[in-house]
Amino acid sequence: DGTGEAIQWLIAVGVVLFGATVVNPKSLYLGFGLGVILAYPFDWYAPNPDLVGEAAAVALVACATVRLWLPALGLLVVLALSHSRGGLLGVCCAATALAFAKSWKLGTAIALSGALFIGTLAYLGAASDNAERRGIWADTINGITLFGHGLGSFRYVFPDYASHINIILGTRPDHAHDDFLEILFETGVVGGFFAVVAFGVILARGRHYAETLIVIATAGLGITN
């Protein structure tokens, strides 16, 4: 698992480096959006519809920022059908950032409206799922150390800190359902610091607002991913 996660990090670095060489990424956004739309009817994201919802959310932000309205509409439909709260959160974060750039009042209004809507969806969901997710987050926080437990260690080390959920009779999570907490758990406070710095560098080097909003959307859905 550690090797697998290291490869994922290398792929992410490669994507960032490749993206930095692309002058006009509009065709990439279109391809990404069409790929998500075409994959949905064939159920290629089964059995977890959240995966297609999260991908649709990022592609939606990408296509909308470069005014590819038709694929953006299709992605909005996919996102709605997936019922992905994480995907909605990502889109809401991007919309809030864009609104704040124009007016703090508009940004505040969108942030509050989005929080109310997503909070309502979460409340209407299964109470057991919500409680389990909060328990996983609490136990993950308890396991955060200075240098972490190593890449890919979450699945194996998490049971040592599981006091809020029953991993024997209930679910034994493979991930923390929060990208930031899992980074802190596996790489520690030191690794988390470098992750935040890297995130800031990527945001600062965005050549136009589309790239910035895509990164914000990805980070937003990572809160519950």
Side-chain angles (χ1 to χ4, degrees):
D1 282 359
T3 302
E5 285 209 23
I7 292 173
Q8 290 177 5
W9 279 105
L10 288 175
I11 291 173
V13 171
V15 168
V16 172
L17 294 176
F18 172 73
T21 68
V22 177
V23 177
N24 183 5
K26 189 173 182 178
S27 59
L28 292 179
Y29 299 164
L30 177 61
F32 184 27
L34 292 178
V36 175
I37 293 172
L38 293 175
Y40 183 77
F42 294 98
D43 210 22
W44 288 342
Y45 288 83
N48 188 350
D50 281 338
L51 297 179
V52 71
E54 291 161 356
V58 178
L60 170 60
V61 172
C63 289
T65 52
V66 294
R67 300 183 179 181
L68 293 170
W69 300 121
L70 190 57
L73 179 60
L75 290 162
L76 182 61
V77 172
V78 172
L79 176 59
L81 293 176
S82 71
H83 303 288
S84 172
R85 289 169 291 182
L88 289 173
L89 181 59
V91 172
C92 181
C93 288
T96 299
L98 181 61
F100 264 114
K102 298 180 180 300
S103 166
W104 71 268
K105 292 181 179 179
L106 179 61
T108 302
I110 292 179
L112 292 177
S113 300
L116 178 61
F117 181 66
I118 297 172
T120 301
L121 291 179
Y123 177 77
L124 295 176
S128 59
D129 290 342
N130 294 332
E132 181 182 73
R133 187 66 60 89
R134 290 193 299 269
I136 292 173
W137 290 341
D139 291 337
T140 301
I141 292 173
N142 290 338
I144 295 174
T145 62
L146 182 60
F147 294 105
H149 306 281
L151 290 178
S153 63
F154 182 87
R155 178 184 179 187
Y156 306 99
V157 181
F158 176 81
D160 294 342
Y161 299 93
S163 59
H164 293 83
I165 66 170
N166 191 329
I167 62 171
I168 298 177
L169 300 179
T171 301
R172 177 172 176 169
D174 292 331
H175 298 282
H177 293 290
D178 183 302
D179 288 342
F180 304 104
L181 287 181
E182 187 161 336
I183 288 173
L184 284 171
F185 185 93
E186 294 191 346
T187 66
V189 176
V190 174
F193 169 77
F194 285 113
V196 171
V197 170
F199 178 72
V201 169
I202 292 173
L203 281 179
R205 293 182 61 127
R207 290 162 297 184
H208 47 77
Y209 74 95
E211 294 178 347
T212 302
L213 293 178
I214 291 168
V215 174
I216 291 174
T218 303
L221 65 86
I223 295 173
T224 60
N225 189 18

